[in-house]
Amino acid sequence: MRHLFSIVMLVALLPLASFSKGRVVTGVVRNSAGEPLDLVDVAEGRFQVGTYCDARGHFMLEIPSDTVREADLQFSLVGYEDHSEVVRLVGDTTTIRIVLNDKSDEIGQVDVVAQGKQETTVENLKVEVTKTMPSASGDGIVGVVTAQPGVSSNNELSSQYSVRGGNYDENCVYVNSIEVYRPLLIRSGEQEGLSFVNQDLVESVSFSSGGFSPEYGDKMSSVLDIKYKKPTAFEGSASISFLGASAYIGSSSKRFSQMHGFRYKTSSYLLNTLETKGEYNPKFLDYQTYMTYVFSPKWDLSFLGNISRNKYNFIPASRSTNFGTMTDMHNVNFDFYGQEMDLFSTYFGALTLSCKPSSSLNLDFIGSTFRSVERVGYDITSVYSMAQVEMGGSYGRDEGGGAFHQHSRDRFAGTVTNISHIGTLDLKKNTLKWGLSWQLEDMSEEVNEWEYRDSAGYSLPIDPNCMSLYDNLSADVGKVSHRLSGFVQDSYSWRTAAGRYVLLGGVRFSYWDFNEQLICSPRGSFAWFPAHSSWAFRVATGIYHQALMFKEMKKVVEEDGNRVVYLNRDVKTPRSSQIILSSDYYFKKWGRPFKLTGELYYKYMDRIIPYKVDNMQITYRGENCADGFAFGGDVKLFGEFVPGTDSWISFSMMNTRENIYGDQYGYVPRPTDQRYNISLFFQDYLPGYERLKFNIKLVWADGYPFRSPYSSSYNDKYRMADYRRLDIGAVYQLQKGVDAIMEKKVFAWMKTISFNLDVFNVLGISNVNSYYWVPVQDGCQYAVPNYLTGRLFNLRLAIGF
């Protein structure tokens, strides 16, 4: 442990030395929309030296002479106009900013925008798509992520997603290099508000579905990396719809830039399409700010803050559901008495001090605190009656009835405080990056849950001597722990006659004092871009751990007939060994750019902590007692099927299984096993009337395995029906400088006005994401499906200024 710390500190101090005797030109390259461009070829003709821009659009070019006064630079990228710049060199380092204009095929007001080649498993996603994609959850960024190959979300009410067989807890989310977290007590999509990320504040979105580099934390499935923008002038936007509202404002001066975003969501309109009728009153409100003050060209200080409050009140009234097969159909009617009242409050603040001692070296010092206070409470009595349904739809034989009462008083409070350092050193062909982090975690939970059931006049379970509870759970647990982690990685690129190569390698380590475990994760990737070819090839491999936080360690034991939760200090972090093979083929069809991507992957997992999934709730077994695997393939075709618009279609196949030690089942499907997934996002517009655009999002995915939540077995015997959903959106936009009406005085302060019409679940398909288990006296249980939302129209007005 001491040696690892010394190595990281040594690497952090080495770059402070000088590395060259020539002059250096640094800068950033962006497109006309202000977005950074990666893989831009930067060359100096006189000295025959060159380099490439990184994912942030940054480049550093060394001129091997300390006497030359000018540099003749050429910038080029497929799909953009070549740009030449004669740069006057002043001092040892000269910094410039370059804007590349798109090569445009004139189709009304639509521009064709190129895409840089992908060097690692991290892919840059288009931010502008997130603002037009129809999303019932109200989160456009998550909507784009769930449309990627290997990613699935079988619940349109939730912003959570599964990646290549992993569960919702196995996904890392970073905002400005700071990891953010989600509430722990969420049980269903109805309770959720919006995710942490405010899309109005976003500058760039990057996503990896596996095989990511050591700089990203200890999760086994995916990484979503968000960068918030720094406005260069006054700007803002506001929107309102049937599902909520948002507002954003940003400004900038010589030294100070700021952004403020407000979001409000109420999904009552959407939840009223569910089969359970009642009074839904969900309200989500949050405020975010990102401010930066520049002390000097070498020093700046930024603050990222967030306050959110998510309140969910629900008074159920009744429900009627048909279920079964065509030859064995049943109906169950419920009458409900009682209510549910939940509250989720989060507070987040982060300070980042950035230092640039030289043009090639960047040092960030970050301090952050995340606080979550969660409360779930309900007392609901359900009275039900069941009957058979005849072929004509009439009710037949009465199958009895019963009642049950569910009670919960759950409390959770958690605070995560983090102090970290991240450094980046750009050399001529290398990019060295390192980080060191200390984290304090203080979490506690109180649980008091019980359920009483009566079926056909019998209290379940049947006991002639007393009235017994069907199920109960209690907990009063907490922990205070410290975590030390760090990473070192290097990216090296070079050229030969056979093409260009990028090699990235490094290691990540972490020590957690709660279970006294030290983990080490070597990771690496290699990319080859053959010369004079439209192909690109990548391979990535490494060891990935699933860092434990709290609920993974909760182990339930039975004491005197009661189920009690304890924290298991002996549990170890689950681990996976991964290998990913990828290829990209870039081509043009109908004069427009396309990209075909294929990936094969294999993951072996050990020290697995088995879990059960019920709706959005994940319940862990609390011990390492299984191993497993996941393998599959993804194919994605991305391009301009319609000139000037980005569309894509993806297809995924997967098999993931686990073997729980000591049972008789062997390798069985994991709860997130999804054998196939097809997703489509398509954009179009009316020729000659480009201000009116349409978009379609289609998902067809295999259903997840499931079991009764009251079963002690972890073998999923059943599988849900396929998840099929089609959402359609239409956008009509007026733009200043294009539409004459925008020149009128009343619109003088506006840049754009957009009118959006979304139709959710166009086909009205009744998708299922969980089951309501109704027992009868003979020990049999009926799985009554909980259907998701039906067809719904949503109108939205958005103004940009």
Side-chain angles (χ1 to χ4, degrees), residues 75-286:
F75 300 84
S76 61
L77 179 64
V78 176
Y80 291 85
E81 295 180 356
D82 293 344
H83 179 82
S84 298
E85 187 86 10
V86 177
V87 180
R88 185 173 182 83
L89 304 179
V90 180
D92 294 335
T93 302
T94 303
T95 302
I96 61 175
R97 294 184 179 182
I98 300 297
V99 176
L100 295 187
N101 295 318
D102 309 332
K103 285 183 179 178
S104 301
D105 296 332
E106 291 297 330
I107 310 167
Q109 296 297 323
V110 182
D111 291 330
V112 177
V113 181
Q115 185 180 23
K117 290 187 177 181
Q118 185 178 335
E119 294 184 344
T120 66
T121 63
V122 178
E123 180 180 8
N124 295 325
L125 307 180
K126 294 295 184 70
V127 177
E128 57 269 21
V129 175
T130 67
K131 299 180 180 180
T132 58
M133 176 176 285
S135 173
S137 68
D139 197 322
I141 288 179
V142 172
V144 172
V145 170
T146 55
Q148 302 304 309
V151 185
S152 64
S153 174
N154 287 16
N155 189 336
E156 65 272 8
L157 294 172
S158 174
S159 60
Q160 307 307 317
Y161 48 88
S162 171
V163 180
R164 292 178 174 173
N167 68 37
Y168 314 129
D169 296 328
E170 296 179 12
N171 305 311
C172 236
V173 180
Y174 285 88
V175 176
N176 289 1
S177 302
I178 304 165
E179 186 174 1
V180 296
Y181 304 91
R182 70 185 187 96
L184 269 70
L185 297 185
I186 290 289
R187 297 167 177 258
S188 67
E190 292 92 320
Q191 295 173 299
E192 284 195 31
L194 294 170
S195 68
F196 180 93
V197 181
N198 186 332
Q199 65 185 38
D200 291 333
L201 280 60
V202 170
E203 178 182 61
S204 65
V205 180
S206 301
F207 179 75
S208 172
S209 52
F212 40 87
S213 60
E215 65 181 295
Y216 297 114
D218 292 303
K219 300 287 186 179
M220 292 201 304
S221 288
S222 75
V223 164
L224 178 62
D225 190 1
I226 305 292
K227 301 296 183 185
Y228 278 2
K229 58 188 176 184
K230 297 179 181 179
T232 57
F234 179 79
E235 60 184 38
S237 65
S239 68
I240 187 170
S241 74
F242 292 156
L243 299 177
S246 66
Y248 153 75
I249 191 170
S251 66
S252 177
S253 62
K254 185 177 181 180
R255 293 182 177 271
F256 181 67
S257 66
Q258 60 179 327
M259 293 192 300
H260 305 275
F262 301 86
R263 294 183 296 173
Y264 171 74
K265 177 185 177 182
T266 174
S267 52
S268 301
Y269 176 60
L270 184 63
L271 297 180
N272 283 327
T273 66
L274 298 174
E275 280 197 333
T276 301
K277 306 304 178 184
E279 297 182 19
Y280 292 93
N281 188 22
K283 293 181 179 179
F284 173 87
L285 178 67
D286 95 328

Side-chain angles (χ1 to χ4, degrees), residues 252-257 292-297 299-301:
S252 177
S253 62
K254 185 177 181 180
R255 293 182 177 271
F256 181 67
S257 66
T292 302
Y293 184 81
V294 179
F295 296 100
S296 70
W299 293 90
D300 65 69
L301 181 68

Side-chain angles (χ1 to χ4, degrees), residues 718-748:
Y718 315 104
R719 190 175 288 269
M720 298 180 187
D722 287 1
Y723 180 86
R724 297 165 294 166
R725 185 177 177 90
L726 174 65
D727 297 333
I728 296 179
V731 182
Y732 181 84
Q733 185 178 79
L734 298 174
Q735 187 174 351
K736 195 168 188 177
V738 176
D739 299 285
I741 191 173
M742 295 295 291
E743 304 304 323
K744 292 187 177 182
K745 187 175 181 180
V746 67
F747 301 117

Side-chain angles (χ1 to χ4, degrees), residues 213-214 431-433 488-492 503-507 522-526:
S213 60
T431 299
L432 182 65
K433 195 168 186 177
V488 178
Q489 70 179 46
D490 182 39
S491 176
Y492 176 66
L503 177 64
L504 188 150
V507 63
R523 307 173 189 175
S525 66
F526 175 74

Side-chain angles (χ1 to χ4, degrees), residues 345-569:
S345 301
T346 59
Y347 311 89
F348 174 82
L351 275 173
T352 301
L353 179 64
S354 296
C355 172
K356 287 187 68 68
S358 67
S359 59
S360 60
L361 178 63
N362 188 82
L363 305 173
D364 289 338
F365 303 91
I366 306 170
S368 65
T369 296
F370 174 85
R371 171 74 173 170
S372 180
V373 180
E374 306 172 27
R375 184 183 71 207
V376 173
Y378 52 82
D379 274 291
I380 298 176
T381 299
S382 308
V383 180
Y384 67 92
S385 61
M386 292 183 60
Q388 278 195 331
V389 180
E390 304 293 345
M391 291 296 292
S394 60
Y395 293 157
R397 180 174 60 88
D398 184 8
E399 296 182 308
F404 43 88
H405 184 90
Q406 295 172 306
H407 168 91
S408 174
R409 294 292 186 273
D410 298 346
R411 305 286 188 274
F412 173 82
T415 302
V416 178
T417 302
N418 183 286
I419 298 175
S420 60
H421 161 64
I422 299 175
T424 304
L425 176 65
D426 292 320
L427 303 176
K428 186 175 181 180
K429 294 183 179 180
N430 295 68
T431 299
L432 182 65
K433 195 168 186 177
W434 64 92
L436 188 65
S437 172
W438 169 82
Q439 186 164 287
L440 171 66
E441 302 159 4
D442 184 356
M443 300 180 181
S444 62
E445 183 181 31
E446 297 178 11
V447 176
N448 181 9
E449 300 177 5
W450 55 263
E451 183 174 342
Y452 168 76
R453 293 200 172 193
D454 177 281
S455 178
Y458 293 88
S459 174
L460 298 179
I462 298 175
D463 188 335
N465 299 316
C466 65
M467 181 182 294
S468 301
L469 293 176
Y470 187 79
D471 187 42
N472 69 87
L473 183 69
S474 64
D476 186 1
V477 294
K479 73 173 183 71
V480 178
S481 60
H482 303 264
R483 194 187 306 266
L484 180 66
S485 60
F487 73 91
V488 178
Q489 70 179 46
D490 182 39
S491 176
Y492 176 66
S493 62
W494 72 98
R495 283 180 177 272
T496 68
R500 190 169 67 91
Y501 308 86
V502 179
L503 177 64
L504 188 150
V507 63
R508 183 176 186 88
F509 75 90
S510 178
Y511 176 78
W512 195 32
D513 67 354
F514 184 82
N515 62 0
E516 298 181 345
Q517 184 184 15
L518 173 66
I519 58 177
C520 184
S521 304
R523 307 173 189 175
S525 66
F526 175 74
W528 175 39
F529 304 94
H532 313 295
S533 173
S534 298
W535 285 93
F537 302 95
R538 295 184 302 276
V539 58
T541 187
I543 297 176
Y544 296 81
H545 294 83
Q546 178 64 28
L548 305 176
M549 285 295 291
F550 189 77
K551 62 182 181 180
E552 303 93 339
M553 303 172 294
K554 292 164 58 177
K555 185 175 182 179
V556 179
V557 298
E558 190 164 323
E559 297 181 353
D560 300 325
N562 298 312
R563 297 170 65 233
V564 182
V565 174
Y566 291 97
L567 295 184
N568 182 8
R569 285 184 174 270

Side-chain angles (χ1 to χ4, degrees), residues 129 132-134 147 641 646-650 679-683 695-698:
V129 175
T132 58
M133 176 176 285
F641 294 89
D646 292 330
S647 303
W648 65 86
I649 182 171
S650 65
S679 62
L680 166 73
F681 179 69
F682 184 80
Q683 297 187 89
N695 50 72
I696 297 173
K697 183 181 179 182
L698 170 69

